[in-house]
Amino acid sequence: MTLENDPIDITRQTSAISVTKSSGTQVDYYLYPEFEIHANTLPAGVVQDWHKH
């Protein structure tokens, strides 16, 4: 739990797990004990793979 005066832990892209899917989608995964963040980059002409949350 983060309190108002706690420092914010900033994770840089160089620390992410980066992959390029066969579709061309580039994904950066940021993994934390309680959750995951993924940032997708779709180059021109690439279609997002079907997924659900």
Side-chain angles (χ1 to χ4, degrees):
M1 180 167 125
T2 302
L3 300 177
E4 187 174 317
N5 295 324
D6 285 353
I8 297 172
D9 181 24
I10 298 173
T11 302
R12 305 269 181 221
Q13 184 180 15
T14 55
S15 299
I17 298 170
S18 299
V19 299
T20 300
K21 297 188 174 196
S22 61
S23 65
T25 300
Q26 300 166 350
V27 186
D28 294 321
Y29 293 96
Y30 301 88
L31 306 177
Y32 297 90
E34 299 87 10
F35 60 90
E36 167 190 319
I37 296 172
H38 62 268
N40 292 0
T41 303
L42 283 72
V46 171
V47 177
Q48 171 74 40
D49 294 330
W50 191 94
H51 69 281
K52 71 176 192 169
H53 296 262

